[in-house]
Amino acid sequence: MTVDSNQLTYILENTPATQNIMLVGKHGIGKSRILEEYFASTGQKVVTLFLGQMSDPGDLIGLPHLDEITGRTEFMLPYWFPVDGKPIVLFLDELNRARPEVLQTVMDLTLNRKLAGKALPPGSRIISAVNGGSEYQLTDLDPALVSRFNIYEFAPSVNDWLLWAEKSGIDSRITSFITENPEYLDSDTAGIENGGLSRTPDRRSWERVSEIIKNFDSLSEKQLPLISGIIGNQASSLFFRFVNEKSVPSAKTVLSAGKDFFSENSRLSALNPAQICSVNESLFCYIEGESWKNDEEEFVKKIACNFELYFIFIDENCPKETSAHFISLCSANRFPNTLNFILEKCPSLYKKLLDEAVNL
């Protein structure tokens, strides 16, 4: 079975350091990032080694030198090897892109926690990441090496990415687009074809798009070629059409608006049910990300007030499926921080949600 980000966190928390973990997944889905962020939050040092870039075992174990006193050849410790006795998390990225001679060195490392006779500090962990699929140029892994890992297919959900995107400041036009078109987060649809090369969107490429479009308040044909080189022709055309033809407000726009924004003739009233549900998702993701905690207390109060005004508006002016969708998002499993926010900051909204849930 596949695991998402929450399940992976649980696995990392409950797997002994003596057991190795291997993550299998597509490129650009955040395997490296989630590991680095998790272990950084626990105060553990992560050392990332890109094995696919190593041309010789010496790149991993260090260079040999002659000890003039003993007359024996020893290996100089590589730059990354811990010498302070503190455990590390050794992240072996691109394991199945490594040369066979490099993989032979990894065998002893994964079994005995030793490298050229030098032991890693007690408590050190070894985690690897590999790409899976026939579209990659990969090295076959020895069954004996594979047997030394607990193997998990990592497939983070769209919601995982949206929560991360809100926390990381990804442009709201992108998160709105992905909320309504989740199939374009990791699309296999062919994009630019040029000499066998194909460009399609993935999570990493959307991050690059965000970095570029944040400099443009509006998007025009002038920027289209710039973006198509990142996510491909089809995805970029659809994204530009979405941005220019639809006026779906961002979560921050809704939560910082004045009271007139929630009137019967407001911008919200022009949205169809699918767009309202898209706004619902973006609001919950925004609050779940807790970036608002850095704001002034008065603005936090405004967010709480507008969150309730928004629900009242859709409950009174939109089809019932939109308010039912809003209520369905109030899940401790999916949006625990948002549920706590409602309980603490919007008690009257919480009562309304309970009353509405009874009537559904």
Side-chain angles (χ1 to χ4, degrees), residues 288-313:
E288 186 69 19
E290 296 189 324
S291 59
W292 48 268
K293 283 191 170 182
N294 298 321
D295 295 321
E296 297 291 335
E297 181 61 29
E298 285 303 311
F299 186 69
V300 175
K301 290 180 181 178
K302 185 178 184 65
I303 289 176
C305 177
N306 280 9
F307 199 37
E308 182 169 358
L309 288 175
Y310 171 80
F311 176 76
I312 293 172
F313 174 87

Side-chain angles (χ1 to χ4, degrees), residues 153-186:
E153 184 177 351
F154 181 50
S157 67
V158 174
N159 188 62
D160 287 337
W161 186 83
L162 288 170
L163 291 175
W164 171 83
E166 288 291 349
K167 293 178 181 178
S168 303
I170 298 297
D171 192 282
S172 61
R173 290 169 289 187
I174 293 176
T175 54
S176 295
F177 174 76
I178 296 301
T179 299
E180 196 160 325
N181 302 275
E183 68 275 15
Y184 278 90
L185 179 57
D186 301 295

Side-chain angles (χ1 to χ4, degrees), residues 315 320-321 323-325 327-328 353-360:
D315 189 44
K320 281 301 176 184
E321 67 251 35
S323 55
H325 176 260
I327 294 170
S328 72
L353 294 174
L354 287 179
D355 292 341
E356 289 292 330
V358 171
N359 297 323
L360 288 177

Side-chain angles (χ1 to χ4, degrees), residues 154-335:
F154 181 50
S157 67
V158 174
N159 188 62
D160 287 337
W161 186 83
L162 288 170
L163 291 175
W164 171 83
E166 288 291 349
K167 293 178 181 178
S168 303
I170 298 297
D171 192 282
S172 61
R173 290 169 289 187
I174 293 176
T175 54
S176 295
F177 174 76
I178 296 301
T179 299
E180 196 160 325
N181 302 275
E183 68 275 15
Y184 278 90
L185 179 57
D186 301 295
S187 176
D188 291 326
T189 306
I192 299 173
E193 297 291 343
N194 183 11
L197 296 177
S198 177
R199 198 70 192 93
T200 56
D202 57 40
R203 298 165 196 236
R204 192 181 297 153
S205 64
W206 283 116
E207 188 175 353
R208 296 203 298 269
V209 171
S210 176
E211 187 177 0
I212 289 175
I213 68 172
K214 68 182 180 182
N215 299 315
F216 301 100
D217 293 330
S218 60
L219 299 178
S220 67
E221 292 295 319
K222 188 175 182 179
Q223 290 90 38
L224 185 57
L226 180 64
I227 303 306
S228 67
I230 304 174
I231 56 176
N233 286 339
Q234 183 172 338
S236 57
S237 296
L238 185 62
F239 174 62
F240 272 59
R241 194 180 313 127
F242 174 90
V243 170
N244 291 315
E245 293 181 2
K246 295 188 176 182
S247 55
V248 179
S250 68
K252 198 157 188 177
T253 297
V254 174
L255 295 174
S256 61
K259 290 187 177 181
D260 291 344
F261 189 82
F262 306 98
S263 65
E264 290 185 14
N265 298 318
S266 74
R267 180 178 171 185
L268 289 174
S269 62
L271 302 181
N272 62 41
Q275 292 170 323
I276 289 291
C277 290
S278 174
V279 176
N280 291 349
E281 293 269 358
S282 66
L283 289 173
F284 273 77
C285 284
Y286 178 84
I287 294 176
E288 186 69 19
E290 296 189 324
S291 59
W292 48 268
K293 283 191 170 182
N294 298 321
D295 295 321
E296 297 291 335
E297 181 61 29
E298 285 303 311
F299 186 69
V300 175
K301 290 180 181 178
K302 185 178 184 65
I303 289 176
C305 177
N306 280 9
F307 199 37
E308 182 169 358
L309 288 175
Y310 171 80
F311 176 76
I312 293 172
F313 174 87
I314 64 172
D315 189 44
E316 295 178 352
N317 299 281
C318 300
K320 281 301 176 184
E321 67 251 35
T322 59
S323 55
H325 176 260
F326 186 102
I327 294 170
S328 72
L329 296 177
C330 299
S331 165
N333 291 327
R334 189 175 177 193
F335 294 108

